[in-house]
Amino acid sequence: MLDIAVSYNRYKFIGYEFLTWLWFSTELETEYLKSLNPEMTDLEIGNRIVLENHVKKTSETITIKGDDADLEEGILSLNKGALVTELQLIYKSDNQEWLFTIKGESLSFFNLKLPQTGPIESKEDMDGIVLEKIYLLEKLMAGMDKLYTEFVRLRVDPNWRKTIVPKIKAWVDKRSS
């Protein structure tokens, strides 16, 4: 059995590949993503992406952020072999919107902004608001779990390198030219 630290470091690339696949999928396979989770009406890239490129024994980190940020720098990094390590996403379902960043190495969420809940008018409303926040968090987690489950299914398929990787490379090549 592998030590947990060894496993963590050995397999964190899977989260990086997941985030890279998500970026690709949000641009080219939106309808496919929606079919995986019918409750999701849209999934968009937010205003922050962090990429890492491990060249030889050095590591290069590229951070792209800002409301009008041009993602071309990220595409160039992908073209050089980088993978997405952090990705801000905007998850939409019905008329609700979640804004959050996900880290690839641990698949942890941070800077989470849940949709608005009803106003608190009395102490009795507090329990309802807490339950509503929990529901909204669970809804987001269930939706992201569906996307991750599909990614893992694709990733362990023997045809991953023959089908998905060439599609991602073609997307990067098209965007970088």
Side-chain angles (χ1 to χ4, degrees), residues 6-23:
V6 173
S7 294
Y8 183 82
N9 287 318
R10 184 177 294 172
Y11 297 110
K12 67 183 175 184
F13 74 91
I14 293 172
Y16 299 162
E17 288 182 358
F18 171 60
L19 296 182
T20 304
W21 174 79
L22 264 183
W23 183 9

Side-chain angles (χ1 to χ4, degrees), residues 77-88:
S77 298
L78 289 175
N79 204 16
K80 292 179 181 179
L83 291 173
V84 179
T85 58
E86 290 180 22
L87 183 62
Q88 186 182 59

Side-chain angles (χ1 to χ4, degrees), residues 5-173:
V6 173
S7 294
Y8 183 82
N9 287 318
R10 184 177 294 172
Y11 297 110
K12 67 183 175 184
F13 74 91
I14 293 172
Y16 299 162
E17 288 182 358
F18 171 60
L19 296 182
T20 304
W21 174 79
L22 264 183
W23 183 9
F24 157 77
S25 296
T26 59
E27 289 199 12
L28 292 185
E29 300 184 335
T30 310
E31 294 306 313
Y32 173 64
L33 291 179
K34 289 178 187 176
S35 74
L36 298 172
N37 181 10
E39 285 191 23
M40 181 178 71
T41 56
D42 201 10
L43 183 67
E44 301 171 5
I45 302 299
N47 64 7
R48 185 171 191 276
I49 298 177
V50 178
L51 300 103
E52 276 186 26
N53 192 358
H54 299 282
V55 183
K56 298 180 183 174
K57 292 185 179 184
T58 62
S59 179
E60 177 181 60
T61 302
I62 299 94
T63 302
I64 303 164
K65 61 183 175 179
D67 289 333
D68 295 324
D70 186 11
L71 299 179
E72 296 309 311
E73 197 66 36
I75 294 293
L76 289 172
S77 298
L78 289 175
N79 204 16
K80 292 179 181 179
L83 291 173
V84 179
T85 58
E86 290 180 22
L87 183 62
Q88 186 182 59
L89 293 168
I90 303 165
Y91 180 95
K92 296 178 182 179
S93 179
D94 300 322
N95 62 347
Q96 298 174 313
E97 182 176 291
W98 291 255
L99 177 69
F100 63 98
T101 303
I102 186 169
K103 284 189 176 233
E105 68 181 31
S106 60
L107 297 178
S108 59
F109 290 40
F110 64 101
N111 295 334
L112 173 63
K113 183 179 177 203
L114 294 172
Q116 288 287 344
T117 56
I120 301 174
E121 296 175 1
S122 67
K123 271 190 163 184
E124 290 78 34
D125 292 344
M126 188 59 86
D127 287 345
I129 296 295
V130 169
L131 291 174
E132 187 176 0
K133 293 276 187 188
I134 291 169
Y135 166 77
L136 291 170
L137 183 57
E138 287 177 345
K139 187 173 181 178
L140 172 65
M141 298 302 287
M144 292 305 295
D145 280 350
K146 288 176 183 176
L147 297 177
Y148 186 70
T149 299
E150 177 62 11
F151 166 76
V152 170
R153 187 192 68 74
L154 292 170
R155 183 62 179 87
V156 299
D157 188 303
N159 292 320
W160 167 261
R161 293 211 179 277
K162 295 176 189 170
T163 58
I164 307 300
V165 171
K167 284 182 183 179
I168 294 172
K169 285 184 179 180
W171 166 70
V172 170
D173 290 343

